[in-house]
Every structure is written in C-alpha cells, then in structure tokens.
Amino acid sequence: MSGALDHLRVVLVDARNPLNIGAAARAMSNFGIRRLRVVNPYQVAFRQARSAVGAADLLSAAEEFSTVAEAVADCALVVGTTAVGHRELQHPLRRLEAGGRIIRKTLSAENVALLFGSERFGLTNQDLSHCHWLMTIPTRREHTSMNLGQAVALCLYELVRNGKVPLAKESKRPARAGEIQRLSVMLLEILNASGYVKPREADATEIKVRRLIRRMTMESRDAQLWLGMLRQIRWKVNVGNEEPK
C-alpha cells in the first residue's frame, strides 16, 4: 500500500490560511501520504503552521509551483475536488467512494494529482481545465462547504481504508499531464495563428480546448504522435520560426 501511495500528489491551489495548509499536511502524515504540492500559497510562514502537528518535515518539504500545469505535469490522472453548490460543471462528477476506487487503481502504476482549491472560492474554471474529472464529498445540501483540512482528511481516508490498492490491468502508459499541457499550448498557438480564436472568447476557448483534449484520454505514445503532427502544422502556418524536428 505505501508504495502505491508514493504516486499520490496532494495539490493545494491558492490556499489562503496557513493553518489549513498545516492541517492538510497533518492529515497526509496520518495516512502515510508524503507528496504535498502548493500552488500560489499564502506566503506568510505557512511552512511553520502550528496546525501541522507531527508533520513539520512533510510541510517543510512541500513543493511550490506558480501554476497548476506545473504542479501536475508528472501525473497521468488529475482529479479536482468540489462542493458543487450552484456551479455548472463541465466535467464528469463522481462521489468520493466511486472516485476513490478509480484513484486507488491508478495509483498502483501511475502518478495521480488530487487538487483542492481555495477556502473562499474553490478551484477556478481555469484550474478545472487541467482535471480529467471531479470528485465530491457527499454532504447535506444546506451546508456543502468543508474546511480544507477536513476535506483532505476524508479524501485520503477513503483511499487507504480498505488497506490495499488493486493491481492495474492496463500496461499501456497514459499521457502525463505535462504532455497534455504541451499539446494544449501548441494547439492553441495554431488556433490563434489561424484566426479561429476570437479575442473576446480567448479565455473560454482555451478552457474548452483543454477539456476536449482531456476527454480523449490518450496514451503517451498517442500524445507524442499528436505533438509531432502539430509541430508540422505550426511550422507551416508560421507560428514558430524553427523547422519541426
């Protein structure tokens, strides 16, 4: 079990309260998860948060990133968490139990990123565009939001509660988030150069393109093939000055 859990990355995006970051680190330590990543965290001494009881080493070793894309680049599966609320979601949504089963299976062979958003507004649409699907903790409709540390603890408990991670049946390696990011960036460059993207709709188009690519659930070798084709197209439409390699 512990070997599979080494594949899990807990990613806190725009966390504002150092005590919440510390509480998340403490929950990770409770359940044997060591890889904490923070994106644009509140900078005032979050590594010394008193709430990280027994997890000071884990917190001090947290990896900092400026973007979600960088934080999930080495992961084959990226799962966002959400309280849903009144949001209109464009991703598949799974309850904690069902999502946990998929994550456990993937962890036996691949890196998985589990994203938690800001205490105030959760994950933004831009953050969600990097996710393959979303997971929610079943709560009563009148009170859906949870404390960040509690949400992390519940999700991690679900992953470890049966004591084992099933062996993955698939031997083919899915595309890493970093490969998907490079593909997305290159396709958007081409779409902009071709005039497909309207200036007023640029942000919305970018999010739609990211969702479209993730729904393809391609293998790594397919991503490399797509990247090769897009490099040739990019060169032909003069987006870049260098001939494709």
Side-chain angles (χ1 to χ4, degrees):
M1 180 66 177
S2 59
L5 292 178
D6 288 340
H7 289 298
L8 182 64
R9 284 87 172 99
V10 174
V11 183
L12 308 183
V13 183
D14 289 320
R16 300 292 89 188
N17 190 330
L19 294 178
N20 285 338
I21 299 176
R26 181 178 184 178
M28 291 175 63
S29 181
N30 288 147
F31 297 112
I33 290 92
R34 307 296 303 177
R35 301 296 296 272
L36 174 62
R37 295 179 173 180
V38 292
V39 177
N40 189 28
Y42 184 65
Q43 292 296 331
V44 181
F46 81 86
R47 294 182 188 274
Q48 287 76 46
R50 289 176 294 175
S51 52
V53 178
D57 291 344
L58 189 154
L59 193 60
S60 65
E63 302 170 87
E64 286 191 55
F65 296 87
S66 58
T67 67
V68 171
E70 295 169 333
V72 304
D74 63 341
C75 297
L77 174 63
V78 182
V79 179
T81 57
T82 179
V84 184
H86 300 291
R87 300 182 67 168
E88 182 178 349
L89 301 176
Q90 303 297 322
H91 290 69
L93 179 67
R94 295 180 171 90
R95 279 172 56 112
L96 180 60
E97 315 93 285
R101 288 194 292 271
I102 298 172
I103 293 173
R104 283 197 300 270
K105 180 177 179 179
T106 307
L107 283 174
S108 61
E110 301 290 346
N111 293 340
V112 176
L114 186 56
L115 272 60
F116 297 86
S118 163
E119 300 92 331
R120 292 184 59 192
F121 46 79
L123 295 168
T124 67
N125 287 337
Q126 189 64 243
D127 299 331
L128 294 178
S129 72
H130 295 279
C131 298
H132 293 90
W133 45 269
L134 305 179
M135 187 165 67
T136 188
I137 298 171
T139 56
R140 69 186 184 97
R141 184 178 303 175
E142 295 80 7
H143 192 182
T144 58
S145 64
M146 295 187 68
N147 172 270
L148 176 60
Q150 292 175 327
V152 172
L154 275 175
C155 290
L156 299 186
Y157 171 71
E158 179 63 32
L159 296 182
V160 305
R161 68 184 175 89
N162 69 351
K164 62 181 180 179
V165 175
L167 295 176
K169 296 179 180 179
E170 296 290 336
S171 58
K172 298 175 182 178
R173 186 171 77 81
R176 297 286 194 271
E179 295 171 317
I180 297 298
Q181 171 68 2
R182 290 194 294 274
L183 199 160
S184 301
V185 169
M186 195 175 300
L187 179 56
L188 286 165
E189 288 179 355
I190 294 169
L191 292 175
N192 275 291
S194 68
Y196 176 83
V197 180
K198 305 298 186 291
R200 293 183 179 179
E201 302 173 358
D203 290 344
T205 300
E206 178 180 347
I207 290 173
K208 290 177 182 177
V209 167
R210 291 184 186 280
R211 289 173 182 159
L212 173 65
I213 292 175
R214 275 168 175 75
R215 284 199 297 270
M216 295 171 70
T217 59
M218 65 183 69
E219 298 172 18
S220 180
R221 61 184 180 181
D222 293 334
Q224 295 304 317
L225 179 62
W226 275 106
L227 284 167
M229 291 189 290
L230 290 175
R231 287 191 191 98
Q232 182 68 30
I233 296 172
R234 183 177 65 173
W235 177 59
K236 284 293 185 180
V237 297
N238 296 316
V239 177
N241 296 320
E242 297 183 3
E243 188 172 350
K245 299 179 181 179

